[in-house]
Amino acid sequence: MVKEWDGDLEGFTAIVLREQAKSDPLLDSTMRFIEHLRDYRENLAEAAVRRYEATEQWIECPKCETEVPTSNGIHCPNCGEDMRGGEYVRAILHLVDDADGRIYRGIDSLTVRSAGFPEYRGMSLDRIQGSNLWVSFRRYDPLPDEGIVLPTASVEMFEAQRSCIRQLQIGSPRTGSLAAELVDPGWLGTPPRVPLDGKRAHHLPDPNEEQAEAVARVMGMRPGQLYLIQGPPGTGKTTAIVESIRRILGRNPNSSILLSSHSNDAVDTGQERLLGFSHVRQARIAEPGKVPKRLRPTLVEGDDLEPYNLVAGTVNRLTIDSRLRFKVFDWLILDEANKVRANEALAVMPLAKRWVMIGDLNQLPPVMEEAASTFKITTPLDEMVRDDSFYGWIWDKVSGSSRILLPRQYRMREPIGRVVSDLFYEGKLIHEAPHPRMPLPWPFDRELVWVDTGAQDEYRDAQRSVANEFEVALCKDITSIIRRRVRKAKLAVIAMYNSQVNRLQGALKGIVPPDDIESVDAFEGRESDGVILSLVRSNDRAAIGFLNDPNRVNVAISRAKKLLVIVGDSKTVIGGAPELFGPLFEHCKEEGLVAGVGAVVTACQRVGIRSQVQRLSRPHRGDRRTRRRRRGQRPAGEAVANGEAAALSPNGEEPLPVQAQAEIEANGAPEPAPVESPTEAE
């Protein structure tokens, strides 16, 4: 009787909360934001028409599925198969007259038109670099060599979001549970714990104490409850997701789960971990070109999703899929929720009875596209809807027992992890990374190094993005040193600006794979054994732009597992954001090492390679004297005439940069290192 009475009381409370939600100001702000995005997309489709030239296309071998550029010939270099029967899967489109490709930022789908060819719609835009667009697709004939490219004018996603907000505003029963949660988060109390029974997964790590607590709460959730998980870098968010899914479906195979994220990469990661479980019947909803080959068997083209108990896809893709319109899942698990805005989250939440959101408030927020940045702000909620995630907005509104922090990080060696913990997580992280230190020469014989470049010249390219050639040369020296000593190490070089990324990709060919040279934003969610971070900015004004963003800096310094090298002008970045870069610089002094350019030059000599920074060294801004570029010592007469003495490197071959000279004068010249033979280098 009490249980039935409580049920009736909850039902009455839900009706009252649903009525209150009709006038929630969050819904008004979200509706205006959706309408702004829809109007912007329609206008952009008419204005963003540009001519292109297809500079490169990739074809997939019909036998071994290797992707090969068409310029490599008609035979697959991997298996020798004739590839003329394969599918074209990718292309680079160069915009004519070097038009700025950033006009297509925030666009998911493109259309190509060319005289004499049929219109091709639905190409996925994967990457923008200057005037080049990287697109993916699947077709049996190549794209035309030239034509026009324009955004696919699809507003279906915005109409689906608008429909959901409208249902909340009129009090529709379909969104009743969501409406109650908006008005009174946690009104149903804390999810009870469920004992974790069943067999362990032999090919997956066992969940730690906090992960097990999160999984137990997720399994015990009642319909209408929300549970939030915060996972700092390297703390095993994916482990918590996979354990929750496999245990829920192991306990009741007839349950249904919706797995989603803002990006396909995050969905791919969760799906891959679950491929070995026969009781998890997966269905992927996505464009085939956006799904890796190993997951394409999970794509479902038909209308019947009933045989599947796990359906996965991005937030926006699930929102517009007609097969899900009248289906309600038992759980929605939303990964990387800190990048999902309110208009996206509120559109996908009615598809499930229970909602689990995993993210990190201290990592990057939703991407600020051109469309979002032009939204007019009239209230504080408008700013939240544009700039923040739904996960970030509701975090402080739920009770402490309905959210959890995963504190044990397994990615970064302790000196790196301690910096991240102290600067961004109030020292709460516990460091349990098992990786050994990389065997490198001084000054890289530790986990954390800041190479202070001093004052150098930065400049802007035609797209107004900032670059720094001196830091490019330093990054080449550092990566060459690491490659000489640890050939198989997985390295990544990341930079704060796309223009710097372009120059790094050109300079590091053959040293670091192009896919591992990215901007900080693009590298979020990834990791590498060694990471070299180029800060880029160096000027007298201490102007650092969007480097003054704690979330971006957190992402940048938390990608490395064994070695983090920060390359930058400490005076500029500390002057621009003393409360952010000041403590970071001090931590580098205490936990690692702050070195100068001369230390890198010395390390190059120790491993037997020629340093690239000597040609570009500019120790004093504004110094216009012409420097000799040929090898050897300057004539003695010239040095005496200038009142200076030219310092030589320890091997007596090349003049050192002034900054390197100063270090040697202070510390004494190191012994010249013998050049290693190839066998010793290995």
Side-chain angles (χ1 to χ4, degrees), residues 636-651:
E638 183 180 339
V640 173
N642 292 332
E644 17 176 285
L648 293 180
S649 61
N651 59 15

Side-chain angles (χ1 to χ4, degrees), residues 449-458 468-475 478 500 532-539 565-573 585 594-600 613 616-621 657-660 663:
V449 180
W450 184 313
V451 178
D452 197 347
T453 64
Q456 303 300 332
D457 288 338
E458 65 175 48
N468 187 319
E469 288 289 357
F470 189 81
E471 290 190 15
V472 172
L474 262 177
C475 290
I478 296 167
Q500 185 80 341
I532 294 88
L533 168 64
S534 175
L535 298 179
V536 183
R537 302 309 298 264
S538 179
N539 54 73
V565 181
I566 301 173
V567 178
D569 179 4
S570 63
K571 184 176 180 180
T572 295
V573 296
F585 190 76
V594 174
V597 178
V600 180
V613 301
L616 297 175
S617 179
R618 291 172 178 250
H620 300 291
R621 188 178 288 114
V658 174
Q659 187 169 343
E663 290 190 17

Side-chain angles (χ1 to χ4, degrees), residues 355-382:
W355 312 291
V356 183
M357 294 188 179
I358 302 104
D360 185 4
L361 300 172
N362 294 323
Q363 295 193 54
L364 289 174
V367 177
M368 181 60 69
E369 308 98 344
E370 185 70 22
S373 64
T374 56
F375 178 57
K376 185 178 180 181
I377 302 296
T378 58
T379 67
L381 267 179
D382 290 348

Side-chain angles (χ1 to χ4, degrees), residues 415-655:
I416 306 173
R418 194 180 301 123
V419 173
V420 174
S421 178
D422 291 347
L423 265 60
F424 305 106
Y425 298 98
E426 301 176 349
K428 295 179 180 178
L429 299 190
I430 303 169
H431 313 289
E432 299 183 3
H435 321 299
R437 177 184 290 176
M438 298 176 73
L440 295 172
W442 182 89
F444 306 112
D445 56 345
R446 61 207 71 215
E447 293 84 355
L448 185 61
V449 180
W450 184 313
V451 178
D452 197 347
T453 64
Q456 303 300 332
D457 288 338
E458 65 175 48
Y459 62 93
R460 293 182 180 272
D461 61 11
Q463 284 78 37
R464 304 296 297 163
S465 183
V466 186
N468 187 319
E469 288 289 357
F470 189 81
E471 290 190 15
V472 172
L474 262 177
C475 290
K476 185 172 184 179
D477 281 353
I478 296 167
T479 52
S480 299
I481 292 167
I482 298 172
R483 278 281 179 254
R484 180 61 65 94
R485 285 295 178 88
V486 191
R487 295 184 183 277
K488 295 184 179 180
K490 183 174 176 56
L491 296 183
V493 182
I494 58 179
M496 293 291 187
Y497 290 86
N498 286 326
S499 180
Q500 185 80 341
V501 171
N502 298 340
R503 282 154 180 78
L504 287 166
Q505 288 177 340
L508 302 181
K509 285 183 179 178
I511 304 175
V512 181
D515 291 343
D516 293 328
I517 305 172
E518 287 283 8
S519 67
V520 172
D521 294 38
F523 206 73
E524 185 179 21
R526 298 174 59 187
E527 63 184 22
S528 188
D529 291 337
V531 172
I532 294 88
L533 168 64
S534 175
L535 298 179
V536 183
R537 302 309 298 264
S538 179
N539 54 73
D540 292 324
R541 310 180 310 278
I544 63 172
F546 61 69
L547 268 68
N548 191 8
D549 183 348
N551 290 27
R552 181 169 282 108
V553 174
N554 181 22
V555 170
I557 68 174
S558 61
R559 303 301 100 195
K561 297 165 69 175
K562 304 177 182 179
L563 172 67
L564 171 65
V565 181
I566 301 173
V567 178
D569 179 4
S570 63
K571 184 176 180 180
T572 295
V573 296
I574 294 174
E579 70 290 344
L580 175 59
F581 286 99
L584 176 58
F585 190 76
E586 292 302 319
H587 268 80
C588 290
K589 282 184 178 180
E590 297 171 4
E591 303 286 347
L593 176 70
V594 174
V597 178
V600 180
V601 174
T602 300
C604 287
Q605 295 168 354
R606 287 186 180 278
V607 299
I609 61 176
R610 184 179 179 184
S611 172
Q612 298 293 313
V613 301
Q614 291 178 323
R615 298 180 180 180
L616 297 175
S617 179
R618 291 172 178 250
H620 300 291
R621 188 178 288 114
D623 185 2
R624 302 299 183 187
R625 290 179 302 171
T626 304
R627 299 181 180 275
R628 291 180 177 271
R629 293 186 176 273
R630 64 175 181 268
R631 300 180 67 182
Q633 186 178 5
R634 288 189 299 175
E638 183 180 339
V640 173
N642 292 332
E644 17 176 285
L648 293 180
S649 61
N651 59 15
E653 293 182 356
E654 299 182 14

Side-chain angles (χ1 to χ4, degrees), residues 47 147 158 193 242 285 334 350 405 411 421 453 476 565 570 670:
F158 303 117
R193 295 185 82 262
V242 170
I285 298 178
L334 182 60
L405 170 72
R411 174 186 297 165
S421 178
T453 64
K476 185 172 184 179
V565 181
S570 63

